[in-house]
Amino acid sequence: MGTDSDNWRSALEYDQWVALPVAGKRPPARYKHAAVVVDEKLYIVGGSRNGRYLSDVQAFDLKTLSWSTVALSTKVDAENLNDSPLPEVFLAISGHSTVKWGNKVLLVGGHSKDTSDNVTVRFIDLESHVCGVMEVTGKVPVARGGQSVSLVGSKLVMFGGEDKHRQLMNDVHVLDLETMTWNVVETIQTPPAPRFDHTSTVHANRYLQIFGGCTHSIFFNDLHVLDLETLEWSQPPIQGDVVSPRAGHAGVSIDEKWFIVGGGDNRNGALETLVMDMNKLVISVLTNVKGRHPLASEGLSVSSAFLDGDQYLVAFGGYNGKYSNEVFVMRPKPTDYKHPMIFQSPAAAAAAASVTAAYALAKSESIDFTNIGLKPSVDLSVEINVIKEEKKTLESNIKEVEAENSAMMEKLEDLKGAHVDLSKELHSVQNQLASERSRCDDLEAQIVDLQKKLSSMQSIEQQVQELRSQNSAIEQDMELASTTQTQGSGGVWRWIAG
């Protein structure tokens, strides 16, 4: 594969990872960095290597396939410098989150040598290369790393993470990027267990989804959803392929699909690239890598890039016993875009906006997510009719599901009955086997006794044979003696007679 952009893109197959050739020097290998694609360039910020935090900012041009170092300055430095080189001033950091906001890249949280007790929001201006710290107000959350951050309209939603005392959290905070004000979100129902190194995304500008992550000893493969309008947590079951627990994975959503790459459990890296249908909550394995592949790593990053009308996934870095600085790309197979059922029509969307706006007025103290990406209200009667039709459709779907559940329950009862019968048969066979084993033991004992008796009979037979020999010898002696006596008696009488 050559370094020309047209060549590497034309050679890509759908849903397969390919390592890009790199022209020139690569940046230091790392993990737990932050990454974002802006204007066909992949920006890598900070990270960790061999226990040391990194402070560099690297840019990978997806057209020329070459790396360059981004030299930063503070605002004061930029005002005092003309054509002189900009000094490196960015704080070394790891485990932070990044989002693009306007012409800036925002970096939220992360572990560093900063002594601040609260989450710091840093920025990098991609045009002037000026960096700094954003001034924030409100209820600023405690400093942390390994959290997740998702952009919803003009708001950042942050969940979980690990503070500098290694305390794990499962709290939710929202940063309004227009006012730079933090708020704590008071949720209802059971939240996810405290965790870090998980992934998150937002579906339909309403549902915050949390997948995986870990504590200091437990790795998760669960999915939790926070409804940003009702602020209610739920844990829907994941359908599809079985997914192993993991942390340190990376995720990015494109339309209705959520792509999840890498991660691991401190023993093995996750070899599969997953894709979740966020409408149906069905997860499937998109592709696999082999062995200690750089993509089967913890602390890697994955971003989405739009190049000449095509969407791509771009992965970088990670650690699986070895640090990586390779760039991998995938072209996901395009599918028809489908809105979730509740947002299928503009009227229904407007109705949802009206209802949630009324809810927000009734509860003014809660965080307002109702105006994010939704259109203003129109004819309410039309909206109500649309909602009623969708309600009928939902009720019909529910009846179908209930019928399927009933059939499944009948099958389950049949299986339970068969299980009981098989258990009884197994118990009977086990009893017979025990009886046969007892008979075998008795037979073995009888065989031992017979062997002993046989040995005794052989000894007796030898004694009988000896007795027979002795008896035969005695009989021969007696016969000889009798013959001799007979001969002696006849001689005497003949002598007397003569």
Side-chain angles (χ1 to χ4, degrees), residues 104-159:
K104 295 183 176 65
V105 171
L106 301 184
L107 304 161
V108 183
H111 296 297
S112 67
K113 294 183 179 180
D114 187 0
T115 57
S116 174
D117 291 330
N118 300 111
V119 166
T120 301
V121 181
R122 299 174 175 84
F123 73 90
I124 299 174
D125 190 311
L126 297 178
E127 296 178 357
S128 65
H129 291 176
V130 171
C131 67
V133 176
M134 306 287 287
E135 293 185 4
V136 297
T137 59
K139 300 177 180 178
V140 185
V142 64
R144 66 193 66 193
Q147 70 288 325
S148 65
V149 169
S150 300
L151 182 63
V152 187
S154 61
K155 296 177 175 64
L156 285 182
V157 184
M158 183 176 72
F159 169 80

Side-chain angles (χ1 to χ4, degrees), residues 395-409:
E395 289 176 345
S396 176
N397 292 339
I398 290 172
K399 288 181 180 179
E400 291 179 1
V401 172
E402 287 177 346
E404 291 179 1
N405 287 342
S406 178
M408 291 297 291
M409 289 300 295

